[in-house]
Amino acid sequence: MRLTIPEHEIMTPGHLACQGCGGALAMRYMLKVFGKDTMLSIPACCWAVIDGPFPYTSLNVPVFHTAFETAAIMASGIKAGLMVQGKDTTNVVAWAGDGGTFDIGIQAISGAAERNDDVTYIVYDNEAYMNTGIQRSSATPHGAWTTTTPVKHYKKGPKKNMAEIMAAHRIPYTATASVGYPEDFCKKLERAKNTKGFKFIHVLAPCPTGWKSDPRFTIKLAKLAVQTNYFPLYEIIDGIHYKQTVKVKERKPLKEYLKYQGRFKHLPEDQVQFLQDFVDENYELLRMKLE
Amino acid sequence: MKKTMMGNYAASWGAQLARVQVIAAYPITPQTLIVEKLSDIVADGELDAKFIKVESEHSAMAACIGASATGARAYTATSAQGLALMHEMLHWAGLARLPIVMANVNRAMAPGWSIWADQNDSLSQRDTGWMQIYASSAQEILDSTLIGYKVSEKVLLPTLISFDAFFLSHTMEVVDMPDIELVDKYLPPYKPDYKLDVNDPRSFGALTDEQYYYEFRYMMQKAMDEAVDIIKEAGKEYEKITGRLYDLIHPYRCEDADMILVTSGTIADTTNVAVDELRAEGKKVGNLRIRVIRPYPKKEILEVVKGVKKLAVIDRNISPGYSGIFSQELKSALYNEVDIPARSYIAGLGGRDVKIEDIKDIANDALKNDATNDLIWKGVKI
Ligand SMILES: Cc1ncc(C[n+]2csc(CCOP(=O)(O)OP(=O)(O)O)c2C)c(N)n1
Ligand code: SF4
Ligand SMILES: [Mg+2]
């Protein structure tokens, strides 16, 4: 079997992520594929800390730490600066959390996408504001506990569909990925790296701290999210051509995924069913678009 | 080469002559003409720059920061609400020590919606780590852009060039455009020691604990202190190529004055005329225009005002609950140094015209009356 995940490591193990952090894993894969000719724009999020405190860095590529809502435009500005100096080949990657993407940063992302700036935007989605202590974001799923959606008032309403929003901009490449499927993730990174214009990858990155899950289950959860159709893996070319990249023959019940996460422990049976129906309905919507 | 142009276009030409490489901007009256002109200049291939048509001013400043961090010369222009929206990123540019230059057309903050001259927009950004220039002619806008980059790139602090809405932004004046060959010699390409570079990977702006942050602020203050002399040197060097001298303060007939009016922006120009008329009436009045408020030229100001009997400050801005900002700054600079009676006037907020007669009224009022810490509102109708 041919190994599709590059062997070399760019990120170093001295980073500050919690044990079992899906976001740290996602960065490791991204840098393997993108390589040394890469610069990062990182806004406020867990990764602003994970990189390490001044004067340290765990990333071995240039990093510009930026304001919470500016990951996309910071990448665009960096890219423009490089282009006027003839350094067109350097990959510029905006690397942000779900809060910085789905919520506060969405305006700048939409701007960069509409202009089709030649940068790659990657959101590592841990489904809440983890850096500030697990507050809900618009990526938090229905039913989840967070510190601003306590058990009695758990999050109501669906997770925002960011991939659809990006596809509506008709950008050249949009994809979903999961750290549980590294080969699929790396292929998508490779594709993004080789595509001109605005690329958007939404990678599900389990967070043991915020999901109240066992760190050893990070990969298991990242796989179950896909196998239950909670987080289907697909890519969208030019905003219209949908392709599922990891096919699920028979979807597992959502319960299988929820049971490893303390953040859903309080959910009554009817709400689990509600969430299950929502997942199925969402998948059905996606299935209709698949080519 | 001499051309007649509006203040706004003087800003655009200044940016072109500075060979800015990345422009990111968003429209807002009365600034819009600056970036419209620059769009033309870039589209016509007269300037080899990348123009990012951003979706907000917050993003305009962020894009300039990103571009500047790679070692490119970055430029933007805005006004009032746009500048306020940038606030977070103004701190970012200052603390990241990036030599961005920006034009700001001084316009009143809403509500009520006003597009007219008022300095509260830029003065509310006083503490963000930007050097701040207040221009009083179209020529000065162009010249300050070139001097601004020269100084910014040396001290690694951004420069804000502010000028009054309409009185300057939309008024035609004769502007002398320096030859590009001379400008190129004056302002060579920007070559920072540290930048985003894949061959020298570094992390910029990472988590910084109290063991380092404090010293970063100290270094920034030192850079501001050094900037005073560097602005003077850059001004003198500029004089050599153009014959026009710019300093941090511009005193007018202050040498033998009994009373000095302290002004800024276009009010300063009008004040020069008022001073001439007052002098003709036998009143020994001078005008001290504060051109640069950050870094604050306290020694230089002291030097000019120290023998004077009275001071009167005219502010087209107000810090609600206290006083005009130029007035506060002046008084704090004199404290512990000299004891000069002063009066503080507010005038021209929201673009209300400040005429020669108004300034003469203020001068006569100040000559006649004792010092007070109470604010005096010139011409208030309530
Ligand atoms: C303008 C602004 N508002 C609020 C914050 C505080 N803040 C920092 S990180 C963060 C949450 C980040 O959440 P997300 O983007 O999901 O990243 P994560 O921490 O989960 O990795 C917040 C609210 C900030 N830095 N800037
Ligand atoms: S809180 Fe979650 S996302 Fe943040 S470092 Fe820890 S595991 Fe990773
Ligand atoms: Mg998050």
Side-chain angles (χ1 to χ4, degrees), chain A residues 4-5 29 33 178-189 219 223:
Chain A
T4 51
I5 302 172
Y29 292 129
V33 176
S178 161
V179 292
Y181 289 85
E183 301 219 340
D184 177 71
F185 183 30
C186 287
K187 267 191 222 146
K188 287 167 175 167
L189 288 164
I219 301 299
K223 281 190 193 296

Side-chain angles (χ1 to χ4, degrees), chain A residues 15-144:
Chain A
H15 63 76
L16 299 184
C18 312
Q19 256 185 30
C21 173
L25 209 49
M27 176 68 90
R28 183 178 159 210
Y29 292 129
M30 187 280 284
L31 284 179
K32 275 170 171 284
V33 176
F34 270 69
K36 296 279 283 178
D37 194 10
T38 301
M39 290 185 187
L40 292 181
S41 143
I42 301 183
C45 60
C46 270
W47 253 106
V49 178
I50 301 174
D51 178 32
F54 174 84
Y56 304 105
T57 170
S58 53
L59 289 176
N60 275 321
V61 294
V63 179
F64 197 86
H65 289 277
T66 189
F68 195 15
E69 62 285 33
T70 61
I73 184 64
M74 191 53 65
S76 301
I78 290 170
K79 185 74 190 184
L82 293 173
M83 279 167 70
V84 292
Q85 296 175 77
K87 298 172 192 164
D88 296 40
T89 56
T90 301
N91 309 299
V92 183
V93 176
W95 183 272
D98 48 289
T101 304
F102 290 56
D103 294 336
I104 200 167
I106 196 167
Q107 172 178 324
I109 298 168
S110 178
E114 185 268 338
R115 289 187 305 272
N116 203 22
D117 291 344
D118 188 19
V119 298
T120 302
Y121 191 105
I122 302 178
V123 48
Y124 70 97
D125 181 8
N126 51 27
E127 304 194 313
Y129 299 169
M130 297 313 177
N131 175 280
T132 38
I134 326 172
Q135 293 84 29
R136 63 94 84 186
S137 77
S138 58
T140 304
H142 177 86

